[in-house]
Amino acid sequence: IQGPMSVAHFMRQVLVNPLSGYYMKGDVFGSQGDFITSPEISQMFGELLGIWFLVQWTNIGKPSRIQLAELGPGRGTLMMDMLRVSSRFKEFRNAITGVHLIEASPGLRRVQRQALCGIPISEEQIGGGSPEGITAAVRSDGLQILWHDVFADLPAECSMIVAHEFFDALPIYKFEKTADGWRELVVDLEEEESSPYHLRFVLAPGPTQASKAIAEHPAYDHFQPGDRIEVSPDSFRVMLEMAQHINKNSGSALIVDYGKDHIQGDTLRGIHKHKFTHVLTQPGNVDLSADVDFQYLKQAAEGLVDCHGSVTQAHLLHSLGIGVRLNMLLAKAAAHRREILISSYHRLVDPKEMGNVYRVMAMTPSGSPTPIAFEQPKPQPTTPSESEPSRP
């Protein structure tokens, strides 16, 4: 290492370095991995997101050709549940020309192919391959699955796009306001022998290219010395590409992640074996993530599409009828399965679990109807007893 590196560069190296990156090793999800995502908790999550896209397809006029796309598809569980729901609506299913997965990890591509296409898969089913990993496969129902390294490779066609826990893993820059202006927090070699880590965070002694290009934006002028901010230019770029795609080809997007509708300062964390850990612990063996700034994502899409939200995950799932779906599953479930279903339901929607921590925003073509779950609540009429005392 020659000198300190940006937090963004550190994150790229430990997460997606082709040789040692965390996500390049294969399956890191589920109870045996480091964390569990909503699709892994219950089929209800993916099924209801599939219903959202079905309704949204109707909202934009039922185009005869659409493609489904997912950024960071994990194990493929979310897309598998969405496709199962889609198959029950013939007109919608017939409109789907293919499924496109944005995934850089060769190991995870194999996991996704297993989930979506079954095992074994004959060589004839593999529409392409490369040293970097699988590029295409065909499901038993004839639907083609295609993999891409980056979103920009998505074909120009009306697209229904989902990004679940994708943006939180994109690299961020960290900055701290000082009496002399913004300074970048960078990763340097640890000099203290007593430290359990080989690396440390330090404040750059002067302005860096990143602090001058990013932190000195007028939007951050109101911060005071000691305040910190996290900014993800990579998130802005991907969001811009998604908005441009919908603007040009039509479609819709749903983004589900943990975050806020404003910038934050110290949310970067490590996750290992379902527990939070120090960011600098065992680089390459620990997942790294930071809260998403949904307002920042909206700025990237401004003028290209209509943005909606963010709303809580609980609000989205209740709007889509998760209670009704739960009762349908309970009616057919054995006793031990009923307990699992009820527990999963509460984990997804309980404010103390994932219900409020995870938030959802949507992108739709400019001027199209407001999507389900994002309607503005109508003001409730007040009675004299609910407002000020009535006067004679």
Side-chain angles (χ1 to χ4, degrees), residues 146-317:
L146 298 127
W147 283 265
H148 311 280
D149 286 331
V150 293
F151 181 83
D153 292 339
L154 192 67
E157 186 168 86
C158 180
S159 301
M160 296 296 181
I161 307 163
V162 62
H164 177 264
E165 289 200 47
F166 171 78
F167 284 97
D168 68 272
L170 293 186
I172 62 165
Y173 289 85
K174 292 178 70 75
F175 305 98
E176 182 176 316
K177 189 74 172 284
T178 72
D180 298 318
W182 286 104
R183 294 293 182 265
E184 183 179 359
L185 275 160
V186 293
V187 179
D188 199 3
L189 291 173
E190 177 57 85
E191 297 176 350
E192 293 289 336
E193 293 184 3
S194 59
S195 172
Y197 315 112
H198 298 294
L199 301 169
R200 60 175 178 157
F201 289 111
V202 297
L203 208 58
T208 61
Q209 287 186 336
S211 68
K212 289 186 285 187
I214 301 170
E216 292 182 8
H217 191 281
Y220 309 131
D221 286 348
H222 66 283
F223 285 95
Q224 302 300 312
D227 290 343
R228 289 182 175 181
I229 58 173
E230 296 171 331
V231 185
S232 175
D234 281 17
S235 295
F236 192 96
R237 174 184 53 79
V238 174
M239 191 69 173
L240 176 61
E241 291 174 353
M242 291 169 63
Q244 289 172 332
H245 184 92
I246 293 173
N247 175 269
K248 179 181 178 181
N249 305 291
S250 189
S252 296
L254 203 59
I255 297 153
V256 186
D257 228 312
Y258 41 82
K260 302 287 186 182
D261 286 320
H262 55 79
I263 197 166
Q264 298 185 80
D266 274 309
T267 71
L268 180 64
R269 80 279 268 172
I271 304 172
H272 185 62
K273 299 300 180 185
H274 305 278
K275 294 181 179 179
F276 291 126
T277 187
H278 195 283
V279 172
L280 301 178
T281 301
Q282 300 180 5
N285 293 319
V286 172
D287 184 33
L288 300 181
S289 68
D291 278 18
V292 174
D293 178 357
F294 287 101
Q295 189 60 37
Y296 184 63
L297 297 186
K298 286 184 179 180
Q299 292 171 7
E302 191 173 358
L304 293 168
V305 295
D306 289 342
C307 289
H308 311 270
S310 66
V311 300
T312 65
Q313 176 171 294
H315 176 79
L316 175 81
L317 296 178

Side-chain angles (χ1 to χ4, degrees), residues 340-373:
I340 295 172
L341 285 168
I342 294 171
S343 173
S344 299
Y345 164 82
H346 284 296
R347 189 166 180 186
L348 290 174
V349 301
D350 192 316
K352 297 179 181 178
E353 296 279 349
M354 304 171 104
N356 283 0
V357 174
Y358 285 82
R359 302 190 67 85
V360 190
M361 71 169 287
M363 286 194 295
T364 59
S366 298
S368 61
T370 301
I372 188 170

